[in-house]
Amino acid sequence: MDGLNHVAFIMDGNGRWAKAKGMPRINGHKAGARAMEQIVPYAFTKGATVLSFYAFSTENWSRPKDEVNGIIKLLFWLLDKNLSYLHENQIRLLVTGDLSCLSKVRREKVLNAINATKDYKKTVNILFNYGGKSDIMHAVHGLIDSGIKRPTEADFENYLYNNLPPVDLLIRTSGEMRLSNFMLWQCAYAELYFTKTYWPDFGKEDYDKALEEFYGRNRRFGAITNPK
Ligand code: IPE
Ligand code: IPE
Ligand code: MG
């Protein structure tokens, strides 16, 4: 729809948000989870059909164990809390990343939710234990195993963790201006939007600002706008 199909979020700044309030980092992650719950319905009403959220990167394992466990627990709490919401609103859940780090019980819980919602059209995609490089290597290994000798881009995309449409708009909060190993293939032509707002404070008005900026951009995809 009008060029805005896939919006991705690098939800950054939870820790600094908590610190600024004199609270433990995990409170920032909890507030971040609430911000995510609020932005999902709003972003769908504003036209996107795929929403991707960077929840836990392959690099985030280097954080203290308590924080890592806290984030994972929080993600499962979110899933339990919102599974009926996904059904009621016909939203498909995808989880993109290496799920082999999860216990069997947790992995099955995720896979069941993915399977139960697979026919819905709108998509919430959670990037968990995800890295753009790991995604690309997953595709490389899959292609080698498949025996395809000269893969096309379309073949390659079939072997990524999930075959997602290209990211149109990538929003990163908290003032950091980097990709941090996020969807390297899928962001090849994404419009990048950075805001200083910490993720837990990111709301509808911030999203509107990002959209305004997006619609003001000239997406040329390498072509020229006024040939003559
Ligand atoms: C983003 O917030 C959430 C995750 C990486 C899981 P951070 O936890 O990175 O917050 P800051 O960047 O330390 O403020
Ligand atoms: C990126 O944020 C990962 C997620 C939002 C899940 P980080 O806070 O981990 O990234 P860096 O360390 O600032 O690059
Ligand atoms: Mg961060």
Side-chain angles (χ1 to χ4, degrees):
M1 189 189 162
D2 50 19
L4 185 80
N5 179 40
H6 186 175
V7 181
F9 299 86
I10 301 181
M11 309 184 281
D12 200 10
N14 294 350
R16 279 163 285 166
W17 180 91
K19 193 175 175 211
K21 293 185 151 39
M23 298 191 299
R25 291 179 60 86
I26 194 68
N27 290 40
H29 296 307
K30 283 181 189 156
R34 281 195 293 276
M36 194 177 136
E37 286 181 307
Q38 277 164 24
I39 217 67
V40 165
Y42 191 65
F44 282 134
T45 64
K46 290 285 176 166
T49 62
V50 181
L51 302 173
S52 288
F53 294 91
Y54 205 6
F56 190 83
S57 76
T58 47
E59 287 72 31
N60 287 146
W61 292 108
S62 55
R63 295 187 180 202
K65 236 184 170 163
D66 277 1
E67 181 170 348
V68 168
N69 291 338
I71 293 170
I72 297 175
K73 218 172 135 190
L74 191 57
L75 288 171
F76 278 88
W77 172 81
L78 260 185
L79 174 60
D80 284 338
K81 184 163 170 267
N82 287 294
L83 193 53
S84 55
Y85 168 83
L86 294 176
H87 282 294
E88 281 155 23
N89 293 279
Q90 310 221 313
I91 297 168
R92 172 173 75 137
L93 174 74
L94 281 182
V95 179
T96 302
D98 181 1
L99 302 187
S100 67
C101 63
L102 294 173
S103 67
K104 193 164 175 266
V105 173
R106 278 184 160 169
R107 196 164 52 246
E108 274 171 9
K109 188 170 240 195
V110 175
L111 295 176
N112 286 341
I114 292 171
N115 193 45
T117 59
K118 70 177 179 354
D119 295 324
Y120 299 141
K121 295 279 173 289
K122 287 176 285 182
T123 302
V124 165
N125 174 38
I126 307 293
L127 293 111
F128 171 75
N129 193 15
Y130 177 86
K133 287 187 174 183
S134 147
D135 199 2
I136 289 169
M137 289 314 293
H138 182 79
V140 169
H141 295 153
L143 281 167
I144 290 170
D145 293 346
S146 77
I148 300 173
K149 291 232 160 45
R150 301 279 297 176
T152 60
E153 288 189 8
D155 291 328
F156 186 85
E157 284 168 352
N158 278 331
Y159 285 92
L160 290 164
Y161 284 123
N162 280 306
N163 192 348
L164 294 153
V167 173
D168 298 301
L169 172 61
L170 169 62
I171 297 174
R172 183 169 187 153
T173 55
S174 88
E176 309 297 352
M177 290 191 265
R178 54 177 167 263
L179 291 177
S180 301
N181 203 7
F182 183 76
M183 299 186 95
L184 300 175
W185 176 276
Q186 299 86 344
C187 284
Y189 250 108
E191 293 298 325
L192 310 181
Y193 179 83
F194 300 102
T195 170
K196 290 210 161 93
T197 305
Y198 292 144
W199 176 253
D201 288 330
F202 187 90
K204 294 177 183 176
E205 280 167 26
D206 302 276
Y207 190 70
D208 284 342
K209 263 191 229 159
L211 289 192
E212 198 184 322
E213 168 107 14
F214 175 82
Y215 286 117
R217 302 255 182 106
N218 187 358
R219 298 186 83 193
R220 287 185 292 275
F221 295 100
I224 48 177
T225 356
N226 294 307
K228 226 176 250 174

